[in-house]
Amino acid sequence: MRLASFDIFDTTLIRLFGRPENINVLLAGKEHSQGDALEREIESACLIANPEVRDIIRQKRHEGWQIAFISDMYLDSEFLSGILKREGCMEDADKIYVSCEHNARKDTGTLYDLVRKDLQPEAWEHYGDNKQSDIKKAKQKNIKTHWIDTRYNDVELNLPNGNENLRSGDILKVLAGVSRAARLHFSNDAISTLSANIVSMTYLPFALWVLNKAKQERIKRLYFLSRDCYIIMKAAEVFAKDYDVELRYLFVSRRSLYLPYIAGGNEFDYLEAADKHTIIRRDTVDKLLLHLGTSREELRNKYNIEFSYRRTDSAKEQQDFLSKIFHSQFTNELQNRAVKAREKIMSFFNQEGLLDGIKSAMVDVGWLGTSRLMINKLLQSAGIEPISFLYFGIRRDAVPSMHGKFDSFFGAGKLNTSAPALIEHYMSASPFPTTIAYHKNHDGQWQPVFPEGEKYSENAIVKSNIQVITWIAEKIKILGICEDTSLFLCSKNAIEAISKKNIQIDLSPLFMMGNFDQWKFIKRFSLSELLSFLFIGKRITEYDWGSLKSTMPLNLCPTCWQIHKKTAKLRGIIFRKIVEKHR
């Protein structure tokens, strides 16, 4: 007989709450009159199969091996067998040996002796996670061993960072266990690891914060703005029934807002919705025109308007651009288009319930707040009170609350400067394309218009992020660990893990993303690109920190980043002196 034996805990079964002692966090504050029954109930609810090992068990069984489970554990074999069978790991013909029932242990080798005497295998292979009791001791007993790696990775170990001795730290340890369980449950590859460790641990706390804010402020409807907030809405849906709030996905974007926003407006309104109220050294002329529903070709062919520059790099070029848009033969056509676009978007808003008087709020990842400014101007044009926004993070110079009240999960300027590109392009990846306009279908319903050739599409990253975050949300709901401070620290530690020098993270999935806003999202720098980035301050990609981390050894990244920042500061000083000299 050939025997394949498997350790149970942290090999065949994974605890959602992580390390065994973390069960005390879940037991805290609960009635202990039931004695061990409550602990067994929690253990049962929180044990899930390790898919990798379950597949090995099934393969070994198919090949004719006798299956046995061996554990140093105080829980009895009947209890453990029930869970193993529930999780699809054990069948009636399999054997189970638990130390508490045999007065023998793996870590001393005596339990292996007992199994050998009982089953007398001709060949024996053992699988386990513990290098001492499952590997070293088993080898001493002439058993072929296979190490199963279910260790915590760097991000999971970092999650309780600096809070280990606080109540929040205890909850963070449980969340680290959930993150690890999700990583192992979803194939443990690079994509699912980022989904479990970074995306879910960053966004789930925000989703719960949004729901709690809605409850506190008696908000009855939450609009999650496309495209960035799709994954946040999917997480919130798991908890929504407990909060008496309706969740809706709103197809809207800066591109779909710009044209209706300037209806009846002028260049001053236009600049008010621009970053720092200027278009100097911002987007290209082509992109600015795209947002206004026109192009260089149309302006050249129909209105004899030309732009000699790729981007407005000076006050003179900015003024030239504004004059040609707002004080030319094209201006009347622009306003006609803007009025029609406003009629369409307001019809869409009315269809989506924004004009029906229900107390609502909008959820957005944040940064500057120009969407809030434009949406509330459009609502005010229909006599509707400004709607409040709930942001993940905002800049220090965010659009003021006179354009609509807002609150932010992360305070002004508190997010790492490298975070927005990662958040927008990777973490917020959505199956829906960007919305560019609206049209009425044959049923009379208003629908979003997407760029030509683009449609709903779920790639591997989108699928993984959504599957993992909803799975973790369901587990967190079961565990009941929704304490605000702990969740904020969880999000903070997760998003900051990317930029920490001592944390190893496989960023290879980021290379699967396409260009971001006409920039390469991430790449490995060539030598010339690295030197240009460090000493000239040249922007190479949209996510230069990730590109640097993918290029240089981990221990050199912080030094390189500091060189980049210091040379950038020096260039700023020189630039300001030149400007002041020529004033």
Side-chain angles (χ1 to χ4, degrees), residues 150 245 269 344 374 415 508 516 561:
T150 59
V245 62
D269 298 296
K344 290 180 178 180
M374 291 189 282
L415 279 175
S508 60
F516 180 70
W561 189 255

Side-chain angles (χ1 to χ4, degrees), residues 282-516:
R282 294 289 188 266
D283 293 323
T284 63
V285 169
D286 288 325
K287 186 173 181 181
L288 294 173
L289 296 176
L290 184 68
H291 283 172
L292 293 171
T294 186
S295 65
R296 285 180 185 264
E297 291 72 23
E298 181 187 32
L299 295 178
R300 181 191 308 117
N301 296 335
K302 290 186 179 181
Y303 302 98
N304 198 31
I305 294 174
E306 293 272 9
F307 300 96
S308 60
Y309 38 87
R310 177 181 174 275
R311 187 180 67 174
T312 54
D313 286 331
S314 67
K316 182 179 179 181
E317 289 175 344
Q318 174 176 273
Q319 188 54 50
D320 178 72
F321 179 87
L322 295 173
S323 296
K324 289 173 178 175
I325 296 299
F326 294 99
H327 302 283
S328 70
Q329 295 179 358
F330 170 66
T331 305
N332 284 338
E333 175 62 21
L334 173 69
Q335 283 300 322
N336 289 336
R337 294 179 185 181
V339 169
K340 290 178 182 178
R342 183 174 64 184
E343 291 173 354
K344 290 180 178 180
I345 198 172
M346 292 309 295
S347 296
F348 175 73
F349 281 176
N350 183 45
Q351 171 186 287
E352 298 303 304
L354 279 165
L355 312 185
D356 62 12
I358 292 177
K359 189 171 183 181
S360 305
M362 292 195 175
V363 182
D364 196 5
V365 290
W367 321 139
L368 185 58
T370 51
S371 294
R372 172 166 48 93
L373 182 153
M374 291 189 282
I375 287 172
N376 278 328
K377 181 177 179 181
L378 289 167
L379 293 177
Q380 286 176 309
S381 71
I384 304 298
E385 288 292 314
I387 192 168
S388 61
F389 274 62
L390 297 171
Y391 292 123
F392 179 71
I394 54 171
R395 287 175 17 180
R396 295 186 188 277
D397 60 343
V399 170
S401 57
M402 63 181 288
H403 296 294
K405 294 180 181 179
F406 66 92
D407 203 348
S408 182
F409 186 56
F410 282 91
K414 294 298 183 182
L415 279 175
N416 185 296
T417 55
S418 67
L422 177 70
I423 289 169
E424 287 186 44
H425 198 47
Y426 188 90
M427 293 175 55
S428 300
S430 166
F432 289 102
T434 189
T435 300
I436 63 173
Y438 306 90
H439 77 100
K440 186 185 289 188
N441 66 15
H442 64 277
D443 294 325
Q445 293 293 303
W446 287 94
Q447 293 183 322
V449 175
F450 303 136
E452 187 175 355
E454 296 187 24
K455 59 183 180 180
Y456 182 97
S457 176
E458 289 186 351
N459 60 28
I461 291 167
V462 171
K463 286 181 180 178
S464 175
N465 287 349
I466 293 170
Q467 286 177 346
V468 174
I469 201 170
T470 52
W471 188 90
I472 292 179
E474 289 164 357
K475 305 311 177 188
I476 286 177
K477 187 175 181 181
I478 291 171
L479 295 173
I481 44 174
C482 301
E483 197 264 329
D484 288 348
T485 302
S486 302
L487 289 170
F488 174 78
L489 291 171
C490 173
S491 183
K492 178 176 181 290
N493 289 348
I495 192 62
E496 288 181 351
I498 291 282
S499 61
K500 290 193 174 179
K501 64 180 181 180
N502 60 335
I503 295 180
Q504 185 67 52
I505 300 177
D506 184 353
L507 297 180
S508 60
L510 274 60
F511 287 83
M512 298 170 60
M513 306 300 290
N515 290 352
F516 180 70

Side-chain angles (χ1 to χ4, degrees), residues 230-258:
Y230 182 80
I231 186 172
I232 300 165
M233 184 184 74
K234 300 308 290 184
E237 285 175 348
V238 176
F239 303 95
K241 290 181 180 178
D242 299 330
Y243 286 86
D244 187 29
V245 62
E246 179 188 3
L247 311 184
R248 292 192 181 186
Y249 187 62
L250 187 69
F251 289 98
V252 71
S253 71
R254 285 188 291 274
R255 183 173 171 184
S256 73
L257 288 166
Y258 259 118

Side-chain angles (χ1 to χ4, degrees), residues 8-9 52 57 209 227 241 280 288 358 360 362-363 433 570:
I8 297 178
F9 289 88
E52 176 192 0
I57 293 170
W209 177 83
R227 308 166 45 230
K241 290 181 180 178
I280 298 175
L288 294 173
I358 292 177
S360 305
M362 292 195 175
V363 182
L570 178 60

